[in-house]
DNA sequence: GTAATATCAAGAATTATTCTAATTAAAATC
DNA sequence: GATTTTAATTAGAATAATTCTTGATATTAC
């Protein structure tokens, strides 16, 4: 049921297990955009970047592709407050740190052998399928530079 | 600068430190709604409940009040995915558990002397001002009842 | 009591996202 | 390799939560 598809055209990344989905040109383009610069672009930003390689792609398709890729487990959707969703190709368990000064989103790795759920007193019998941790504050860069963006 | 206002009318809860803001009838009504049933209503749900006590209140005012109360630190805004924000009056540090079956949001306390940030390998010099932890899964009730809502 | 300021209400506007319907592309079958 | 079937793409309309705008109404300061 789960097969591998080879990319139908030249691309920067190797072949990817795409599950039941077809690896179309558009999905490949969106996937490549996310891997080219590993910041955390919004759908619109992905759209702008994808258009450089594929001017015919539409915003609706970018939304579709991002959803498909998310369902396939190839990218993660990142939500900070009520702002536009951002997307990231980091598949390791990680949290997100949002710097209020430079407005950047950083990935934060889980410490070796640490457990993100451990600090929380869940009732017996709860089943956790998914944890999302979002931190907000000031990143080391902005801190050193005297909080330029906000001061 | 930070003063106490007494409520301008009868109400269920005691006087509250409201910071620089005025405790108006509308804000009090919204505040009371959140304390009456400690579930996690959306702005629209708060609106519906507040109208029972104050039929003249508008949705825009409910949004304004919720924002004011949030800024004053008296309620917390809870965001799960891209769905409508929910509001909760629990001021203790806590996470939220969203049951995909009954669609309820539960508060999850921090274990005694546990630290929500500890599992995360933040770069030196990061300053965390705020942490938001959202878990998704199945609550003990739904688990016992054979996942009625989804199966 | 009057002036200054803050809040409220109603509806318009905005924004991210999803839906719809028609076209196009890809895979399966002949 | 041509045809059929199925899935994906596109453009634009629709939606939903939220914010903004403007004028009216309270509340505090003087």
């Amino acid at each position: 049921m789960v097969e591998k598809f080879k990319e139908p055209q030249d691309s920067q990344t190797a072949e990817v297990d795409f599950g039941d989905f077809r690896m179309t040109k558009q999905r490949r383009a969106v996937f490549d955009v996310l891997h080219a610069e590993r910041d955390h672009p919004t759908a619109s930003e992905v759209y702008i970047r994808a258009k450089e390689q594929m001017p015919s792609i539409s915003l609706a398709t970018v939304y579709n592709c991002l959803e498909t890729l998310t369902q396939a487990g190839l990218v993660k959707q990142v939500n900070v407050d009520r702002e536009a969703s951002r997307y990231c190709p980091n598949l390791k368990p990680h949290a997100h740190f949002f710097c209020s000064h430079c407005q950047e989103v950083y990935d934060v790795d889980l410490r070796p052998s640490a457990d993100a759920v451990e600090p929380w007193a869940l009732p017996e019998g709860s089943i956790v399928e998914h944890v999302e941790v979002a931190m907000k504050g000031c990143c080391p860069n902005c801190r050193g530079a005297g909080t330029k963006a906000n001061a």
Side-chain angles (χ1 to χ4, degrees), chain A:
Chain A
M1 216 155 285
V2 175
E3 301 152 73
K4 277 187 196 252
F5 291 91
K6 293 204 175 120
E7 55 274 19
Q9 79 209 92
D10 57 324
S11 78
Q12 303 162 27
T13 44
E15 69 187 66
V16 177
D17 184 349
F18 217 64
D20 283 328
F21 303 98
R22 289 183 192 161
M23 179 51 104
T24 63
K25 284 181 199 144
Q26 289 83 350
R27 287 171 182 173
R28 165 59 67 183
V30 166
F31 184 82
D32 284 349
V33 160
L34 289 174
H35 280 268
E37 262 193 84
R38 296 175 68 94
D39 52 354
H40 295 75
T42 62
S44 308
E45 285 163 351
V46 171
Y47 174 55
I48 291 166
R49 296 182 200 172
K51 264 188 113 126
E52 289 169 18
Q53 302 307 119
M54 182 183 272
S56 67
I57 200 171
S58 74
L59 179 58
T61 297
V62 169
Y63 272 103
N64 289 340
C65 292
L66 288 170
E67 204 204 317
T68 306
L69 291 167
T70 302
Q71 280 180 206
L74 295 174
V75 307
K76 280 185 179 167
Q77 194 187 46
V78 181
N79 297 304
V80 178
D81 294 345
R82 305 235 80 239
E83 282 160 34
S85 291
R86 295 158 177 277
Y87 294 86
C88 105
N90 181 352
L91 298 180
K92 290 183 301 179
H94 67 281
H96 291 103
F97 183 93
F98 179 77
C99 176
S100 338
H101 295 271
C102 60
Q103 308 279 310
E104 291 287 324
V105 176
Y106 298 98
D107 285 359
V108 182
D109 288 335
L110 197 57
R111 284 188 199 284
S113 76
D115 178 1
V117 176
E118 196 275 327
W120 301 106
L122 278 165
E124 288 273 350
S126 308
I127 295 179
V128 177
E129 281 152 13
H130 190 74
V131 189
E132 208 173 303
V133 177
M135 300 177 249
K136 252 190 166 170
C138 188
C139 74
N141 290 350
C142 289
R143 180 135 174 71
T147 69
K148 53 197 168 197
N150 228 13

